[in-house]
Amino acid sequence: MAHTKLNRARGRPRLFDPDEAVATAQHLFHSRGYDAVSIAHLTQAIGINPPSFYAAFGSKAELYSRILDRYAGTGAVPLSDLLNADRPVAECLVAVLEAAARRYAADPDAAGCLVIEGVRCTDREAREAAGTFLAAAEGAIHRFVAARHPDQAERVTDYMSTVMAGLSASARNGHDLDRLLAAARLAGAGLEQVVSG
């Protein structure tokens, strides 16, 4: 009597990979915006049912917080690398704006800055989570400028925040890398006048 091998893999559910799920959800939030993404969108994209989603992530806002943590390490402008105390302040700030332009235009399906766009969402918990990351970035820029130009730190930080928000919005509106870089460099010329020397 011949033995038949059973294919145990057939019919088995795919194993749930939380890291892959967070990456998938990050792209969804980044491409559509927090408010436009529902639990149904998330569970369909991730490939799990709602009870499994809530068991794994708690809520949509909690998942978004995890995504922001991931984004800070992999997708955000690397301020700690670019704000170098050994280089002129204006040069570093221009490098930040150019890096923002490049990152915001890198994926036309997920353009702009996840954090900057997140502070505009209607969900309070998600908005506050994004605001925490934005405040940390603004704080890093403020401290960097204040170390050499304390009298200019507040207005330069406000200027940087405004320009970066504009670059993010322009990227989401379809501006390509060349246009974003041109805007970043023009803004950089203004910075050089304020913090030269």
Side-chain angles (χ1 to χ4, degrees):
M1 185 169 158
H3 293 284
T4 54
K5 289 186 178 178
L6 296 175
N7 184 351
R8 293 181 181 254
R10 188 180 305 165
R12 266 192 180 174
R14 184 172 62 105
L15 291 177
F16 175 68
D17 181 343
D19 293 332
E20 185 181 316
V22 170
T24 298
Q26 178 178 326
H27 189 272
L28 204 58
F29 281 127
H30 204 155
S31 64
R32 298 184 186 181
Y34 182 88
D35 293 329
V37 177
S38 68
I39 295 296
H41 293 134
L42 289 166
T43 55
Q44 182 177 10
I46 294 168
I48 59 175
N49 60 32
S52 297
F53 173 87
Y54 289 113
F57 302 113
S59 69
K60 176 181 160 182
E62 288 176 75
L63 171 59
Y64 185 65
S65 290
R66 282 180 65 172
I67 287 167
L68 290 171
D69 286 334
R70 182 180 189 275
Y71 182 74
T74 62
V77 175
L79 294 179
S80 59
D81 296 339
L82 297 171
L83 300 178
N84 185 332
D86 297 331
R87 292 171 56 199
V89 170
E91 184 181 311
C92 293
L93 296 177
V94 171
V96 167
L97 294 178
E98 290 182 1
R102 286 186 178 90
R103 286 175 183 261
Y104 298 170
D107 181 355
D109 292 330
C113 175
L114 182 68
V115 171
I116 289 172
E117 300 307 320
V119 297
R120 299 181 187 145
C121 71
T122 58
D123 181 275
R124 182 187 55 79
E125 189 178 348
R127 188 173 62 246
E128 288 175 359
T132 298
F133 281 87
L134 185 60
E138 290 173 341
I141 291 169
H142 189 277
R143 287 188 300 276
F144 175 73
V145 177
R148 283 185 269 177
H149 304 281
D151 56 326
Q152 303 292 347
E154 185 172 352
R155 75 178 184 150
V156 168
T157 302
D158 289 346
Y159 181 78
M160 289 290 289
S161 295
T162 301
V163 173
M164 291 177 81
L167 291 171
S168 179
S170 294
R172 290 187 72 80
N173 287 335
H175 288 203
D176 64 15
L177 177 59
D178 289 341
R179 286 183 76 180
L180 294 178
L181 280 174
R185 289 171 182 151
L186 187 59
L191 283 168
E192 288 169 358
Q193 290 182 0
V194 174
V195 292
S196 59

